[in-house]
Amino acid sequence: MIKNISQLVFLTVSVFFLVNCSDNLDIDNPSAITDDFYNTKSGQEKLLVDMYSKYRSVFNTGELQYYGTDLYMAITESPNERMFNGYDPSFNSTAGVVGPYWNNLFKIVQEANILLSRTSLDTEGMTFEEFNEITGQGRILRALAYYYLVETFGPVPLYTTEQTAVITEVERTSEAEVYSFMVNELSEVVDLLSWEVEEPGRLGRGAAIQLLGKVYLTRAYKPFANPLDFELAAEQLDRIIDDPESPYELLDSYTSVYDENNQNNSEVIWAIQYGMDRNYIGGGNPQQSLFGFNIVALERIYLTEYSPIIAQ
């Protein structure tokens, strides 16, 4: 009898919850997506935003982005700072920042390949202009990822299509081939994008032109350089300075470029965007950041240092 009563109570409670709580069990999980989501315009736009967000980590990996250069001087004696800023005997590739940096850049590459494989004019709601904007931005972000990969690690695997199976073997692609890929990509992208961007933080024609100029200029110092690389770099970078449609120009005061109340000004070609809360504490810097492309790095340096070299 006790067993029968227990079963009856259990059955009654189960029916009660099924009848009265079924609506509560129907919850919406906005973070749960399927692979088909990336076949939609909304999915492709969100994938592009995620690629942008990953560059926060890229530019905040100071050890590999800035340490040991004339851009930054570390002032503490942490192991990473001694290793990357001073190139002391402990310097090696097993440092904790190396793996995540590599993984993050290749995640950007893979997401770009997914984006470019799925986005088409047949996507519902996609206009011709939106197609050019989305694919153009995706190709720049992928080229930029490869710029940091090849400059940091030398020859690296070159993937230009979406990977749908587990990769068990890889081959390193020569630096020369990776540079040729970046040049071809950026040369094709320049005319797909407009000078004016729809919102701060988006890549436009100016960013494509500057990155192309930077790639030419960097390759000019390589053993596999094209004899015309300096000239090609000058031609691209001059477009940002001289093109009548270019919205970029120097500010009257150098300090005003970095004024917190004057962000995304006419010297900023592309900047990673952060929140405006000055009390923000989190992974990354508060406010917008000038990590990215900036005329400060273009005109103020290019016009004073690179022009004489190119002229010669």
Side-chain angles (χ1 to χ4, degrees):
M1 181 179 293
I2 293 175
K3 180 179 179 181
N4 291 336
I5 292 174
S6 298
Q7 291 175 339
L8 179 62
V9 170
F10 175 77
L11 179 61
T12 303
V13 172
S14 299
V15 171
F16 173 80
F17 276 105
L18 286 174
V19 172
N20 293 282
C21 301
S22 61
D23 291 341
N24 294 331
L25 297 177
D26 295 333
I27 60 175
D28 176 38
N29 182 3
S31 65
I33 59 173
T34 65
D35 185 67
D36 290 337
F37 182 62
Y38 297 125
N39 295 327
T40 68
K41 179 182 173 183
S42 175
Q44 292 153 11
E45 290 173 336
K46 287 179 172 59
L47 186 60
L48 183 61
V49 170
D50 188 66
M51 292 164 61
Y52 275 108
S53 71
K54 282 182 167 55
Y55 272 102
R56 290 185 177 185
S57 295
V58 172
F59 290 122
N60 278 318
T61 308
E63 295 87 345
L64 295 171
Q65 281 278 328
Y66 318 113
Y67 287 16
T69 71
D70 58 358
L71 297 176
Y72 183 93
M73 176 61 70
I75 59 172
T76 70
E77 285 296 312
S78 69
N80 276 350
E81 292 196 351
R82 290 199 306 271
M83 187 183 301
F84 290 95
N85 191 69
Y87 298 99
D88 75 354
S90 67
F91 184 84
N92 69 90
S93 61
T94 64
V97 299
V98 176
Y101 189 74
W102 167 282
N103 291 338
N104 197 40
L105 288 169
F106 267 112
K107 284 179 181 177
I108 294 172
V109 169
Q110 173 64 346
E111 289 188 2
N113 288 337
I114 294 172
L115 178 74
L116 298 171
S117 297
R118 308 290 185 92
T119 307
S120 73
L121 291 173
D122 294 329
T123 302
E124 185 177 355
M126 184 73 69
T127 66
F128 182 74
E129 291 75 16
E130 290 171 332
F131 172 78
N132 285 342
E133 288 289 331
I134 291 175
T135 57
Q137 291 174 66
R139 293 170 77 178
I140 296 174
L141 291 171
R142 181 175 63 178
L144 183 60
Y146 266 114
Y147 178 81
Y148 290 130
L149 282 166
V150 74
E151 280 300 293
T152 305
F153 302 103
V156 292
L158 179 61
Y159 300 115
T160 59
T161 58
E162 178 181 352
Q163 303 298 311
T164 57
V166 176
I167 300 174
T168 57
E169 295 183 5
V170 297
E171 293 184 4
R172 300 173 74 186
T173 303
S174 70
E175 291 182 60
E177 290 180 76
V178 176
Y179 265 86
S180 293
F181 166 76
M182 291 188 292
V183 167
N184 292 336
E185 279 288 282
L186 295 168
S187 297
E188 293 179 6
V189 163
V190 166
D191 292 329
L192 295 181
L193 301 172
S194 60
W195 283 104
E196 298 291 342
V197 294
E198 62 184 41
E199 59 184 343
R202 293 280 183 178
L203 292 160
R205 181 176 297 180
I209 292 172
Q210 183 178 358
L211 182 55
L212 179 57
K214 183 174 184 177
V215 168
Y216 279 133
L217 194 59
T218 307
R219 189 175 68 175
Y221 293 95
K222 305 285 186 180
F224 51 84
N226 182 316
L228 298 177
D229 276 340
F230 279 118
E231 182 179 335
L232 292 169
E235 179 183 322
Q236 293 301 321
L237 299 177
D238 280 339
R239 289 182 64 183
I240 298 177
I241 301 169
D242 299 329
D243 194 302
E245 295 184 15
S246 173
Y248 309 108
E249 60 182 0
L250 292 176
L251 301 181
D252 294 333
S253 169
Y254 178 75
T255 58
S256 63
V257 179
Y258 300 97
D259 186 341
E260 287 187 355
N261 299 311
N262 189 37
Q263 299 186 50
N264 292 310
N265 55 69
S266 63
E267 284 204 21
V268 178
I269 297 175
W270 175 55
I272 299 295
Q273 304 297 297
Y274 290 87
M276 294 299 289
D277 183 0
R278 288 178 172 81
N279 296 317
Y280 170 78
I281 298 175
N285 295 334
Q287 311 251 348
Q288 279 96 341
S289 167
L290 282 177
F291 293 145
F293 305 145
N294 186 332
I295 283 192
V296 171
L298 171 64
E299 289 196 58
R300 296 191 191 278
I301 296 177
Y302 162 69
L303 291 180
T304 58
E305 297 184 16
Y306 299 141
S307 292
I309 297 175
I310 295 169
Q312 293 173 8

Short mmCIF file of all heavy atoms in Angstrom, two decimals, residues 167-214:
data_model
loop_
_atom_site.label_atom_id
_atom_site.label_comp_id
_atom_site.label_asym_id
_atom_site.label_seq_id
_atom_site.Cartn_x
_atom_site.Cartn_y
_atom_site.Cartn_z
N ILE A 167 41.32 19.25 -38.72
CA ILE A 167 42.61 19.34 -39.40
C ILE A 167 43.63 18.53 -38.62
O ILE A 167 43.89 18.81 -37.44
CB ILE A 167 43.08 20.80 -39.52
CG1 ILE A 167 42.05 21.61 -40.31
CG2 ILE A 167 44.44 20.89 -40.18
CD1 ILE A 167 42.35 23.10 -40.34
N THR A 168 44.20 17.52 -39.23
CA THR A 168 45.18 16.67 -38.56
C THR A 168 46.61 16.92 -39.04
O THR A 168 47.57 16.54 -38.37
CB THR A 168 44.84 15.18 -38.77
OG1 THR A 168 44.79 14.89 -40.18
CG2 THR A 168 43.49 14.85 -38.14
N GLU A 169 46.74 17.54 -40.20
CA GLU A 169 48.07 17.86 -40.72
C GLU A 169 48.04 19.28 -41.31
O GLU A 169 47.06 19.67 -41.93
CB GLU A 169 48.49 16.88 -41.82
CG GLU A 169 48.69 15.46 -41.33
CD GLU A 169 49.18 14.54 -42.44
OE1 GLU A 169 49.45 15.05 -43.56
OE2 GLU A 169 49.28 13.33 -42.20
N VAL A 170 49.10 20.02 -41.09
CA VAL A 170 49.19 21.38 -41.62
C VAL A 170 50.53 21.58 -42.31
O VAL A 170 51.50 20.90 -42.00
CB VAL A 170 49.01 22.44 -40.51
CG1 VAL A 170 47.65 22.35 -39.89
CG2 VAL A 170 50.10 22.31 -39.46
N GLU A 171 50.53 22.49 -43.22
CA GLU A 171 51.76 22.87 -43.89
C GLU A 171 51.94 24.37 -43.77
O GLU A 171 50.98 25.13 -43.91
CB GLU A 171 51.73 22.48 -45.37
CG GLU A 171 51.72 20.98 -45.62
CD GLU A 171 51.80 20.65 -47.11
OE1 GLU A 171 51.92 21.61 -47.91
OE2 GLU A 171 51.72 19.47 -47.45
N ARG A 172 53.15 24.79 -43.50
CA ARG A 172 53.43 26.23 -43.38
C ARG A 172 53.59 26.81 -44.79
O ARG A 172 54.24 26.24 -45.66
CB ARG A 172 54.70 26.45 -42.58
CG ARG A 172 54.62 25.91 -41.17
CD ARG A 172 55.94 26.00 -40.44
NE ARG A 172 56.25 27.37 -40.05
CZ ARG A 172 57.41 27.73 -39.51
NH1 ARG A 172 58.37 26.85 -39.33
NH2 ARG A 172 57.61 28.99 -39.14
N THR A 173 52.97 27.95 -44.98
CA THR A 173 53.07 28.68 -46.25
C THR A 173 54.16 29.73 -46.12
O THR A 173 54.28 30.38 -45.08
CB THR A 173 51.73 29.35 -46.59
OG1 THR A 173 50.71 28.35 -46.62
CG2 THR A 173 51.80 30.06 -47.94
N SER A 174 54.95 29.90 -47.13
CA SER A 174 56.08 30.83 -47.06
C SER A 174 55.60 32.25 -46.81
O SER A 174 54.47 32.62 -47.17
CB SER A 174 56.90 30.78 -48.35
OG SER A 174 56.16 31.34 -49.42
N GLU A 175 56.47 33.05 -46.21
CA GLU A 175 56.13 34.45 -45.96
C GLU A 175 55.81 35.17 -47.26
O GLU A 175 54.90 36.00 -47.32
CB GLU A 175 57.29 35.15 -45.25
CG GLU A 175 57.53 34.69 -43.83
CD GLU A 175 58.67 35.45 -43.18
OE1 GLU A 175 58.56 36.69 -43.07
OE2 GLU A 175 59.66 34.81 -42.80
N ALA A 176 56.56 34.88 -48.32
CA ALA A 176 56.34 35.54 -49.60
C ALA A 176 54.93 35.29 -50.11
O ALA A 176 54.25 36.20 -50.61
CB ALA A 176 57.37 35.07 -50.62
N GLU A 177 54.46 34.04 -49.98
CA GLU A 177 53.10 33.71 -50.44
C GLU A 177 52.04 34.39 -49.58
O GLU A 177 51.02 34.84 -50.10
CB GLU A 177 52.91 32.19 -50.42
CG GLU A 177 53.71 31.44 -51.47
CD GLU A 177 53.47 29.94 -51.40
OE1 GLU A 177 52.39 29.50 -51.86
OE2 GLU A 177 54.33 29.23 -50.86
N VAL A 178 52.27 34.43 -48.28
CA VAL A 178 51.31 35.10 -47.40
C VAL A 178 51.22 36.58 -47.74
O VAL A 178 50.13 37.16 -47.79
CB VAL A 178 51.68 34.90 -45.91
CG1 VAL A 178 50.72 35.69 -45.02
CG2 VAL A 178 51.65 33.42 -45.54
N TYR A 179 52.36 37.21 -48.02
CA TYR A 179 52.36 38.62 -48.40
C TYR A 179 51.66 38.84 -49.73
O TYR A 179 50.92 39.81 -49.90
CB TYR A 179 53.78 39.17 -48.43
CG TYR A 179 54.17 39.83 -47.14
CD1 TYR A 179 54.69 39.09 -46.09
CD2 TYR A 179 53.98 41.20 -46.94
CE1 TYR A 179 55.03 39.69 -44.88
CE2 TYR A 179 54.30 41.80 -45.75
CZ TYR A 179 54.82 41.04 -44.72
OH TYR A 179 55.12 41.64 -43.52
N SER A 180 51.86 37.94 -50.66
CA SER A 180 51.16 38.06 -51.95
C SER A 180 49.65 37.94 -51.76
O SER A 180 48.87 38.68 -52.37
CB SER A 180 51.64 36.97 -52.91
OG SER A 180 52.99 37.18 -53.26
N PHE A 181 49.25 37.04 -50.87
CA PHE A 181 47.82 36.89 -50.56
C PHE A 181 47.26 38.18 -49.98
O PHE A 181 46.19 38.65 -50.41
CB PHE A 181 47.62 35.74 -49.57
CG PHE A 181 46.27 35.70 -48.94
CD1 PHE A 181 45.16 35.26 -49.65
CD2 PHE A 181 46.09 36.14 -47.62
CE1 PHE A 181 43.90 35.25 -49.06
CE2 PHE A 181 44.83 36.13 -47.04
CZ PHE A 181 43.74 35.67 -47.75
N MET A 182 47.95 38.77 -49.03
CA MET A 182 47.46 40.00 -48.40
C MET A 182 47.36 41.13 -49.42
O MET A 182 46.38 41.89 -49.43
CB MET A 182 48.37 40.40 -47.24
CG MET A 182 48.32 39.46 -46.05
SD MET A 182 49.22 40.09 -44.60
CE MET A 182 50.93 40.00 -45.18
N VAL A 183 48.37 41.27 -50.26
CA VAL A 183 48.36 42.33 -51.28
C VAL A 183 47.18 42.15 -52.22
O VAL A 183 46.45 43.10 -52.52
CB VAL A 183 49.69 42.34 -52.06
CG1 VAL A 183 49.57 43.20 -53.32
CG2 VAL A 183 50.82 42.86 -51.17
N ASN A 184 46.97 40.93 -52.70
CA ASN A 184 45.87 40.67 -53.63
C ASN A 184 44.51 40.93 -52.98
O ASN A 184 43.61 41.53 -53.58
CB ASN A 184 45.93 39.23 -54.13
CG ASN A 184 47.13 38.97 -55.02
OD1 ASN A 184 47.67 39.89 -55.63
ND2 ASN A 184 47.57 37.73 -55.09
N GLU A 185 44.34 40.47 -51.73
CA GLU A 185 43.09 40.67 -51.02
C GLU A 185 42.77 42.15 -50.85
O GLU A 185 41.68 42.61 -51.18
CB GLU A 185 43.17 40.02 -49.63
CG GLU A 185 42.93 38.54 -49.63
CD GLU A 185 41.47 38.20 -49.87
OE1 GLU A 185 40.65 38.32 -48.95
OE2 GLU A 185 41.14 37.82 -51.01
N LEU A 186 43.73 42.89 -50.33
CA LEU A 186 43.49 44.29 -50.02
C LEU A 186 43.33 45.13 -51.29
O LEU A 186 42.55 46.09 -51.31
CB LEU A 186 44.63 44.83 -49.16
CG LEU A 186 44.72 44.18 -47.77
CD1 LEU A 186 46.03 44.55 -47.09
CD2 LEU A 186 43.53 44.59 -46.90
N SER A 187 44.04 44.77 -52.35
CA SER A 187 43.91 45.49 -53.61
C SER A 187 42.49 45.36 -54.17
O SER A 187 41.94 46.30 -54.74
CB SER A 187 44.92 44.97 -54.64
OG SER A 187 46.25 45.19 -54.20
N GLU A 188 41.90 44.17 -53.99
CA GLU A 188 40.54 43.95 -54.48
C GLU A 188 39.49 44.60 -53.59
O GLU A 188 38.42 44.98 -54.06
CB GLU A 188 40.28 42.44 -54.58
CG GLU A 188 41.11 41.74 -55.65
CD GLU A 188 40.83 40.24 -55.70
OE1 GLU A 188 39.91 39.80 -54.97
OE2 GLU A 188 41.51 39.53 -56.44
N VAL A 189 39.79 44.70 -52.31
CA VAL A 189 38.81 45.20 -51.34
C VAL A 189 38.65 46.72 -51.39
O VAL A 189 37.56 47.24 -51.13
CB VAL A 189 39.21 44.75 -49.91
CG1 VAL A 189 38.49 45.57 -48.85
CG2 VAL A 189 38.91 43.28 -49.73
N VAL A 190 39.71 47.43 -51.72
CA VAL A 190 39.72 48.89 -51.62
C VAL A 190 38.48 49.53 -52.25
O VAL A 190 37.83 50.39 -51.65
CB VAL A 190 41.01 49.47 -52.25
CG1 VAL A 190 40.87 50.97 -52.46
CG2 VAL A 190 42.20 49.17 -51.35
N ASP A 191 38.14 49.11 -53.43
CA ASP A 191 37.03 49.75 -54.14
C ASP A 191 35.66 49.20 -53.76
O ASP A 191 34.64 49.69 -54.26
CB ASP A 191 37.24 49.62 -55.65
CG ASP A 191 38.44 50.43 -56.13
OD1 ASP A 191 38.71 51.48 -55.52
OD2 ASP A 191 39.11 50.01 -57.09
N LEU A 192 35.64 48.18 -52.90
CA LEU A 192 34.35 47.64 -52.44
C LEU A 192 33.76 48.49 -51.33
O LEU A 192 32.55 48.48 -51.11
CB LEU A 192 34.52 46.20 -51.93
CG LEU A 192 34.93 45.13 -52.94
CD1 LEU A 192 35.02 43.78 -52.24
CD2 LEU A 192 33.94 45.06 -54.10
N LEU A 193 34.62 49.22 -50.61
CA LEU A 193 34.18 49.97 -49.44
C LEU A 193 34.16 51.46 -49.71
O LEU A 193 34.87 51.95 -50.60
CB LEU A 193 35.12 49.67 -48.26
CG LEU A 193 35.21 48.20 -47.84
CD1 LEU A 193 36.30 48.01 -46.80
CD2 LEU A 193 33.87 47.72 -47.30
N SER A 194 33.39 52.17 -48.95
CA SER A 194 33.31 53.62 -49.10
C SER A 194 34.23 54.29 -48.10
O SER A 194 34.66 53.69 -47.12
CB SER A 194 31.87 54.09 -48.88
OG SER A 194 31.42 53.74 -47.58
N TRP A 195 34.54 55.57 -48.34
CA TRP A 195 35.36 56.33 -47.42
C TRP A 195 34.64 56.52 -46.09
O TRP A 195 35.22 56.38 -45.02
CB TRP A 195 35.69 57.71 -48.01
CG TRP A 195 36.75 57.70 -49.06
CD1 TRP A 195 36.59 57.82 -50.41
CD2 TRP A 195 38.18 57.58 -48.85
NE1 TRP A 195 37.80 57.78 -51.06
CE2 TRP A 195 38.79 57.64 -50.13
CE3 TRP A 195 38.98 57.44 -47.73
CZ2 TRP A 195 40.18 57.57 -50.30
CZ3 TRP A 195 40.35 57.35 -47.89
CH2 TRP A 195 40.94 57.42 -49.16
N GLU A 196 33.37 56.85 -46.14
CA GLU A 196 32.60 57.09 -44.93
C GLU A 196 32.11 55.76 -44.37
O GLU A 196 31.59 54.92 -45.10
CB GLU A 196 31.40 57.99 -45.23
CG GLU A 196 31.78 59.38 -45.75
CD GLU A 196 32.45 60.24 -44.68
OE1 GLU A 196 32.31 59.90 -43.48
OE2 GLU A 196 33.09 61.23 -45.05
N VAL A 197 32.29 55.56 -43.06
CA VAL A 197 31.82 54.33 -42.42
C VAL A 197 30.52 54.62 -41.69
O VAL A 197 30.26 55.75 -41.27
CB VAL A 197 32.87 53.78 -41.44
CG1 VAL A 197 34.11 53.34 -42.19
CG2 VAL A 197 33.22 54.81 -40.37
N GLU A 198 29.70 53.59 -41.54
CA GLU A 198 28.36 53.78 -40.98
C GLU A 198 28.38 54.07 -39.48
O GLU A 198 27.45 54.67 -38.95
CB GLU A 198 27.49 52.56 -41.26
CG GLU A 198 27.99 51.27 -40.64
CD GLU A 198 27.15 50.08 -41.02
OE1 GLU A 198 26.74 49.98 -42.19
OE2 GLU A 198 26.89 49.25 -40.13
N GLU A 199 29.44 53.63 -38.80
CA GLU A 199 29.55 53.89 -37.37
C GLU A 199 31.02 53.76 -36.97
O GLU A 199 31.79 53.07 -37.64
CB GLU A 199 28.69 52.92 -36.57
CG GLU A 199 29.04 51.45 -36.78
CD GLU A 199 28.11 50.51 -36.05
OE1 GLU A 199 27.41 50.97 -35.14
OE2 GLU A 199 28.09 49.32 -36.39
N PRO A 200 31.43 54.43 -35.89
CA PRO A 200 32.83 54.33 -35.44
C PRO A 200 33.21 52.88 -35.16
O PRO A 200 32.40 52.09 -34.68
CB PRO A 200 32.83 55.16 -34.14
CG PRO A 200 31.69 56.10 -34.28
CD PRO A 200 30.63 55.35 -35.05
N GLY A 201 34.45 52.55 -35.49
CA GLY A 201 34.92 51.20 -35.25
C GLY A 201 34.82 50.28 -36.45
O GLY A 201 35.38 49.18 -36.45
N ARG A 202 34.10 50.72 -37.50
CA ARG A 202 33.98 49.93 -38.71
C ARG A 202 35.15 50.24 -39.66
O ARG A 202 35.65 51.37 -39.71
CB ARG A 202 32.67 50.24 -39.43
CG ARG A 202 31.43 49.80 -38.69
CD ARG A 202 31.17 48.33 -38.87
NE ARG A 202 29.92 47.94 -38.20
CZ ARG A 202 29.43 46.70 -38.24
NH1 ARG A 202 30.06 45.76 -38.92
NH2 ARG A 202 28.32 46.41 -37.59
N LEU A 203 35.55 49.24 -40.41
CA LEU A 203 36.60 49.41 -41.41
C LEU A 203 36.00 49.97 -42.70
O LEU A 203 34.93 49.52 -43.13
CB LEU A 203 37.28 48.08 -41.70
CG LEU A 203 38.11 47.48 -40.57
CD1 LEU A 203 38.32 46.00 -40.78
CD2 LEU A 203 39.44 48.20 -40.44
N GLY A 204 36.69 50.92 -43.30
CA GLY A 204 36.26 51.49 -44.56
C GLY A 204 37.40 51.51 -45.56
O GLY A 204 38.42 50.84 -45.37
N ARG A 205 37.22 52.27 -46.61
CA ARG A 205 38.23 52.33 -47.66
C ARG A 205 39.58 52.82 -47.14
O ARG A 205 40.63 52.30 -47.52
CB ARG A 205 37.75 53.23 -48.80
CG ARG A 205 38.74 53.33 -49.96
CD ARG A 205 38.19 54.15 -51.11
NE ARG A 205 37.00 53.52 -51.68
CZ ARG A 205 36.32 54.02 -52.71
NH1 ARG A 205 36.69 55.17 -53.25
NH2 ARG A 205 35.26 53.38 -53.18
N GLY A 206 39.55 53.81 -46.25
CA GLY A 206 40.80 54.33 -45.71
C GLY A 206 41.61 53.27 -45.00
O GLY A 206 42.84 53.21 -45.12
N ALA A 207 40.94 52.41 -44.22
CA ALA A 207 41.63 51.34 -43.50
C ALA A 207 42.23 50.33 -44.47
O ALA A 207 43.35 49.85 -44.27
CB ALA A 207 40.66 50.65 -42.54
N ALA A 208 41.49 50.00 -45.53
CA ALA A 208 42.01 49.06 -46.52
C ALA A 208 43.24 49.63 -47.20
O ALA A 208 44.24 48.93 -47.42
CB ALA A 208 40.93 48.73 -47.55
N ILE A 209 43.19 50.92 -47.54
CA ILE A 209 44.32 51.56 -48.21
C ILE A 209 45.53 51.62 -47.29
O ILE A 209 46.66 51.33 -47.70
CB ILE A 209 43.93 52.98 -48.68
CG1 ILE A 209 42.89 52.89 -49.81
CG2 ILE A 209 45.15 53.75 -49.14
CD1 ILE A 209 42.31 54.23 -50.21
N GLN A 210 45.32 52.00 -46.03
CA GLN A 210 46.47 52.10 -45.14
C GLN A 210 47.11 50.74 -44.88
O GLN A 210 48.33 50.62 -44.87
CB GLN A 210 46.11 52.75 -43.81
CG GLN A 210 47.37 52.91 -42.95
CD GLN A 210 47.13 53.59 -41.63
OE1 GLN A 210 46.02 53.98 -41.33
NE2 GLN A 210 48.18 53.72 -40.84
N LEU A 211 46.28 49.71 -44.66
CA LEU A 211 46.84 48.38 -44.43
C LEU A 211 47.60 47.90 -45.66
O LEU A 211 48.68 47.31 -45.54
CB LEU A 211 45.75 47.39 -44.04
CG LEU A 211 46.24 45.96 -43.72
CD1 LEU A 211 47.31 45.97 -42.63
CD2 LEU A 211 45.07 45.08 -43.32
N LEU A 212 47.06 48.17 -46.84
CA LEU A 212 47.76 47.80 -48.07
C LEU A 212 49.10 48.52 -48.16
O LEU A 212 50.13 47.92 -48.48
CB LEU A 212 46.90 48.12 -49.28
CG LEU A 212 47.51 47.81 -50.67
CD1 LEU A 212 47.91 46.35 -50.77
CD2 LEU A 212 46.53 48.19 -51.78
N GLY A 213 49.11 49.82 -47.85
CA GLY A 213 50.37 50.57 -47.85
C GLY A 213 51.35 50.02 -46.84
O GLY A 213 52.56 49.93 -47.10
N LYS A 214 50.84 49.64 -45.66
CA LYS A 214 51.70 49.10 -44.61
C LYS A 214 52.29 47.76 -45.03
O LYS A 214 53.46 47.46 -44.75
CB LYS A 214 50.89 48.94 -43.32
CG LYS A 214 51.69 48.45 -42.13
CD LYS A 214 50.83 48.46 -40.88
CE LYS A 214 51.66 48.06 -39.65
NZ LYS A 214 50.85 48.13 -38.41
#
